[in-house]
């Protein structure tokens, strides 16, 4: 009998994980500091607004000063405090100036700058909401305030309002094209929004202005990977790893890119490093398991998969990986348990792939059968009913003809064991159920029918329907002429049907393909005895002596006993 795998062999994923990359709190604060520093440096060379003349607050003031002149003085005091970094006192002075003269432009723009400075202080404390309010207020007094726009952009980014963040960064750049520090956060935001071309443009500009930045290289690598420019992506991730050896994401994405470049062995150290830097990194543990699996290093694959399972104990792919690995290491009971977990958790996924559910249940049935072969040597009764239930679930999931082949296989195996024990009352219902399932697969046509015919022939033989077995095997040999075993099985069917001439013909056809197969040669010997062909039997015995002297001696005893 034959079991048929529904799908191709398990393969490692070759695509970069679709994960929304985010900047850490530390990275966001660092960006705020960099952009602010660049803005202030640029403003010292080329002022970004018209400023009032600085006035020392200790300078005496006339009480009879006209409002407009008083506004000028208070604006100058505001500038004094701004230069000292005393933002709250600057607020008061600028507000007093505006109250005295609402048309005083330096007072209004100075107040706007003070608000933006306060907003940046709040951003550095990771207080995005109050910072946002500050920046919005600043723009009421100066609609060209680039510092307020880039601060507002960072506040929106921290609040996961990507579209608003992009819009404000772009406005900041429009107002002040020299703010090149904006390229990195804006490029990252475009990447997060899925606008890869714009992300590429910004990050390429960022590299041109400052290549030695780990964050820039990391996100440039993500962009290159999205563009399937894998070698360039790898180069960027490699630079990111060098510039920041503590960045687990850089090592992980480097590994992902190596896998996509079919350099799985080279990816393993990077996955390992990612798990060392971040022990709770589920994707790194899982893909490390996948990579070890691809390298046929099953013990290490098991360790990695189990680490992933501890982090996420309801992920069906992890348990499927464990099931596959245990199956290939012949630990069939563990394979069954993990396949069952995988099927359970996959079934809970909304709009899950029914074909994958069927595949998992199919493998549950397979490993139960494989464990049965081990248990038979220990005289442990096989749990074929459980295998049948699993394979029936596979049938129910997709109604795939291949699943009918496997369901028939399980029914046949259960019935065959009972038939071997001469327990036909128990065997027959299993065999009849096998016949029904296999006939459905035969009716479906190739490729399922080709496999189903092989199992169906075995069922017919166990049921004693030799004529049906002969008909089925002839169809099988026509469909799959490469199957040497089918020739032997056809010989057996003819032998049981007392057609010893055809039995001899097909046994010889099988031996022609496998000249040293002792089972085939012994079967031919029995056919020659039944045909009373002593001459042919003597020739066969001489041939068998070269392969298996003990069985040759056994045939010789039969020849003598039958006086041939």
């Amino acid at each position: 009998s034959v079991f048929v795998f529904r799908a191709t062999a398990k393969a490692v994923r070759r695509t970069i994980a679709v994960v929304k990359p985010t900047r850490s709190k530390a990275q966001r604060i660092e960006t705020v500091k960099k952009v602010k520093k660049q803005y202030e440096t640029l403003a010292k060379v080329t002022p970004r607004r018209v400023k009032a003349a600085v006035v020392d607050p200790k300078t005496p003031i006339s009480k009879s000063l006209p409002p407009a002149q008083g506004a000028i003085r208070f604006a100058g005091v505001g500038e004094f405090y701004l230069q000292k970094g005393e933002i709250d006192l600057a607020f008061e002075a600028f507000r007093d100036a505006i109250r005295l003269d609402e048309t005083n432009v330096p007072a209004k723009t100075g107040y706007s700058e003070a608000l933006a400075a306060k907003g940046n202080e709040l951003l550095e404390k990771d207080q995005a909401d109050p910072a946002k309010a500050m920046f919005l207020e600043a723009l009421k007094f100066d609609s060209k305030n680039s510092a307020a726009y880039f601060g507002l952009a960072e506040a929106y980014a921290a609040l996961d309002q990507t579209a608003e963040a992009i819009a404000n960064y772009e406005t900041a750049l429009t107002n002040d094209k020299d703010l090149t520090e904006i390229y990195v956060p804006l490029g990252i935001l475009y990447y997060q929004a899925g606008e890869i071309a714009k992300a590429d443009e910004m990050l390429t500009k960022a590299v041109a202005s400052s290549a030695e930045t780990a964050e820039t290289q990391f996100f440039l690598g993500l962009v290159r990977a999205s563009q399937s420019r894998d070698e360039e992506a790898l180069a960027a991730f490699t630079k990111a790893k060098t510039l920041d050896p503590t960045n687990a994401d850089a090592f992980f994405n480097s590994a992902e890119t190596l896998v996509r470049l079919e350099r799985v062995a080279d990816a393993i150290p990077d996955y390992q490093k990612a798990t060392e830097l971040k022990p709770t990194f589920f994707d790194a543990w899982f893909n490390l398991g996948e990579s070890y699996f691809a390298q046929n290093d099953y013990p290490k694959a098991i360790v990695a998969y189990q680490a992933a399972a501890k982090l996420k104990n309801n992920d069906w792919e992890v348990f499927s990986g464990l099931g596959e690995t245990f199956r290939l290491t012949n630990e069939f009971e563990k394979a069954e348990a993990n396949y069952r977990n995988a099927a359970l958790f996959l079934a809970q996924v909304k709009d899950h792939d029914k074909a994958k559910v069927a595949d998992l249940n199919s493998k549950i049935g397979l490993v139960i059968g494989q464990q049965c072969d081990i248990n038979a040597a220990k005289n442990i009764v096989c749990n074929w009913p459980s295998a049948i239930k699993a394979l029936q679930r596979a049938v129910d999931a997709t109604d795939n003809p291949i699943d009918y082949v496997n369901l028939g296989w399980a029914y046949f195996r259960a019935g065959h064991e009972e038939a071997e024990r001469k327990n036909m009352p128990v065997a027959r219902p299993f065999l009849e159920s096998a016949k029904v399932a296999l006939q459905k697969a035969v009716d479906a046509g190739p490729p399922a029918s080709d496999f189903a015919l092989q199992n169906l022939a075995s069922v017919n033989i166990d049921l004693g329907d030799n004529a049906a077995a002969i008909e089925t095997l002839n169809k099988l040999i026509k469909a799959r002429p490469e199957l040497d075993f089918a020739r032997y099985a056809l010989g057996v069917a003819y032998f049981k049907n007392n057609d010893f001439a055809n039995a001899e013909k097909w046994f010889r056809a099988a031996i022609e393909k496998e000249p040293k197969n002792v089972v085939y040669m012994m079967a031919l010997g029995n056919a020659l005895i039944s045909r009373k062909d002593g001459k042919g039997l003597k020739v066969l015995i001489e041939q068998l002596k070269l392969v298996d002297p003990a069985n040759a001696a056994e045939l010789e005893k039969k020849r003598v006993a039958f006086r041939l």
Side-chain angles (χ1 to χ4, degrees):
S1 64
V2 60
F3 177 94
V4 186
F5 282 96
R6 299 182 83 260
T8 56
K10 178 177 170 58
V12 176
R13 290 184 299 190
R14 301 202 181 281
T15 56
I16 298 295
V18 180
V19 178
K20 180 184 178 182
T22 57
R23 290 180 294 158
S24 66
K25 173 183 173 181
Q27 287 174 324
R28 285 189 286 103
I29 291 173
E30 185 63 25
T31 295
V32 171
K33 291 178 179 179
K34 285 181 178 180
V35 180
K36 177 185 173 185
K37 181 179 179 181
Q38 187 180 47
Y39 178 81
E40 291 172 348
T41 301
L42 291 168
K44 287 178 182 178
V45 178
T46 306
R48 265 46 186 172
R49 64 182 178 84
V50 176
K51 297 182 179 181
V54 175
V55 176
D56 189 326
K58 295 179 181 178
T59 303
I61 180 172
S62 172
K63 292 182 180 180
S64 61
L65 198 67
Q69 291 299 310
I72 293 172
R73 182 187 183 282
F74 278 114
V77 172
E79 297 290 356
F80 175 88
Y81 285 127
L82 263 185
Q83 287 184 356
K84 296 290 185 181
E86 297 181 49
I87 306 301
D88 291 332
L89 292 174
F91 277 152
E92 292 179 19
F94 284 127
R95 275 198 294 260
D96 287 342
I98 294 169
R99 277 197 296 269
L100 290 169
D101 183 1
E102 291 183 354
T103 66
N104 189 309
V105 173
K108 293 167 69 176
T109 59
Y111 184 50
S112 178
E113 184 171 327
L115 286 166
K118 188 65 176 179
N120 277 315
E121 284 183 3
L122 293 169
L123 281 179
E124 290 181 30
K125 296 176 183 178
D126 199 32
Q127 297 178 23
D129 272 317
K132 172 184 167 184
M134 287 286 178
F135 294 127
L136 289 170
E137 183 72 8
L139 290 170
K140 290 179 182 178
F141 291 88
D142 182 1
S143 62
K144 298 293 185 180
N145 188 340
S146 297
Y149 281 115
F150 72 67
L152 185 57
E154 273 300 310
Y156 279 127
L159 295 169
D160 286 329
Q161 294 176 263
T162 303
E164 292 84 352
I166 289 173
N168 281 280
Y169 265 136
E170 286 285 14
T171 302
L173 270 178
T174 299
N175 290 338
D176 201 331
K177 61 181 178 57
D178 295 324
L179 285 173
T180 57
E181 290 289 356
I182 286 177
Y183 293 148
V184 173
L186 183 54
I188 293 169
L189 289 168
Y190 274 130
Y191 178 83
Q192 291 174 329
E195 296 188 54
I196 303 303
K198 290 184 178 179
D200 185 356
E201 178 188 354
M202 289 297 142
L203 291 169
T204 300
K205 287 180 178 180
V207 169
S209 63
S210 177
E212 296 303 304
T213 305
E215 185 182 26
T216 305
Q217 291 293 344
F218 172 68
F219 280 96
L220 182 63
L222 290 176
V223 169
R224 294 287 176 263
S226 299
Q227 297 167 324
S228 297
R229 294 160 66 177
D230 297 324
E231 293 290 355
E232 294 173 67
L234 182 60
F237 290 133
T238 301
K239 285 184 180 179
K241 289 187 300 179
T242 303
L243 293 167
D244 183 5
T246 66
N247 188 336
D249 288 326
F251 284 93
F252 174 76
N253 282 280
S254 173
E256 292 279 88
T257 308
L258 285 164
V259 168
R260 197 155 73 174
L261 289 167
E262 300 187 8
R263 294 169 55 186
V264 178
D266 294 333
I268 288 174
D270 276 353
Y271 281 133
Q272 288 175 321
K273 186 65 176 178
T275 62
E276 290 168 13
L277 292 168
K278 187 178 176 183
T280 59
F281 203 152
F282 169 80
D283 285 328
W285 280 114
F286 175 65
N287 285 6
L288 179 59
E290 295 275 275
S291 297
Y292 277 131
F293 184 95
Q295 296 297 103
N296 301 323
D297 192 341
Y298 301 130
K300 289 182 180 177
I302 289 170
V303 171
Y305 282 136
Q306 288 177 332
K310 287 180 181 178
L311 295 170
K312 191 184 289 188
N313 62 5
N314 64 346
D315 188 281
W316 76 269
E317 286 188 287
V318 173
F319 288 103
S320 176
L322 278 168
E324 288 287 276
T325 311
F326 281 125
R327 178 176 66 81
L328 292 169
T329 55
N330 298 326
E331 297 180 80
F332 301 121
E333 290 178 336
K334 291 181 180 179
E336 179 191 349
N338 282 283
Y339 280 138
R340 286 191 184 280
N341 280 334
L344 173 66
F345 296 133
L346 176 57
Q348 295 171 2
V349 175
K350 185 179 179 181
D351 299 325
H352 60 266
D353 188 338
K354 291 183 178 180
K356 290 178 179 176
V357 171
D359 189 56
L360 289 167
N361 279 293
S362 178
K363 287 173 180 174
I364 290 170
L366 169 63
V367 294
I368 291 173
Q370 290 176 303
Q371 185 62 40
C372 286
D373 294 335
I374 294 172
N375 290 346
K378 302 175 183 178
N379 293 318
I380 299 174
V381 176
C382 182
N383 191 10
W384 282 112
S386 184
I388 289 168
K389 286 181 182 178
L391 292 166
Q392 183 63 57
R393 286 194 294 271
V395 166
D396 294 341
T398 61
D399 202 40
N400 188 316
I402 291 296
D403 292 319
Y404 282 106
V405 175
N406 294 332
L407 179 61
W409 166 82
Y411 272 123
F412 164 70
R413 290 290 303 274
H416 182 71
E417 287 188 6
E418 296 298 334
E420 288 287 293
R421 299 186 188 101
K422 310 299 182 185
N423 192 359
M424 286 306 295
V426 174
R428 188 169 294 278
F430 284 119
L431 294 171
E432 292 292 354
S433 294
K435 191 173 181 179
V436 171
L438 292 167
Q439 190 58 55
K440 288 182 179 179
V442 170
D443 293 342
S449 60
D450 295 348
F451 299 108
L453 287 167
Q454 184 172 342
N455 289 345
L456 184 58
S458 298
V459 170
N460 287 328
I461 289 172
D462 274 2
L463 285 171
D465 191 347
N466 298 315
I470 289 167
E471 179 184 356
T472 301
L473 285 164
N474 273 304
K475 290 179 181 178
L476 176 62
I477 291 169
K478 184 177 180 180
R480 301 184 65 194
E482 77 282 2
L483 284 182
D484 303 334
F485 182 81
R487 294 174 172 78
Y488 163 75
L490 183 54
V492 171
Y494 274 122
F495 188 90
K496 290 191 173 187
N497 208 40
N498 297 319
D499 186 343
F500 304 123
N502 272 314
E504 177 186 347
K505 170 187 171 183
W506 286 105
F507 287 144
R508 288 191 182 280
I511 291 170
E512 184 179 341
K513 296 290 184 179
E514 295 184 52
K516 295 182 180 181
N517 190 308
V518 175
V519 173
Y520 296 175
M521 296 173 83
M522 291 297 290
L524 176 59
N526 288 325
L528 292 171
I529 290 170
S530 298
R531 296 198 70 193
K532 296 182 172 50
D533 184 354
K535 184 177 179 181
L537 185 58
K538 287 179 181 180
V539 173
L540 177 64
I541 290 170
E542 291 303 314
Q543 293 171 344
L544 187 55
K545 283 179 182 179
L546 300 175
V547 180
D548 189 333
N551 274 299
E554 185 66 27
L555 270 186
E556 177 62 23
K557 287 180 183 179
K558 288 185 178 182
R559 187 190 69 79
V560 173
F562 284 100
R563 298 180 181 179
L564 296 176

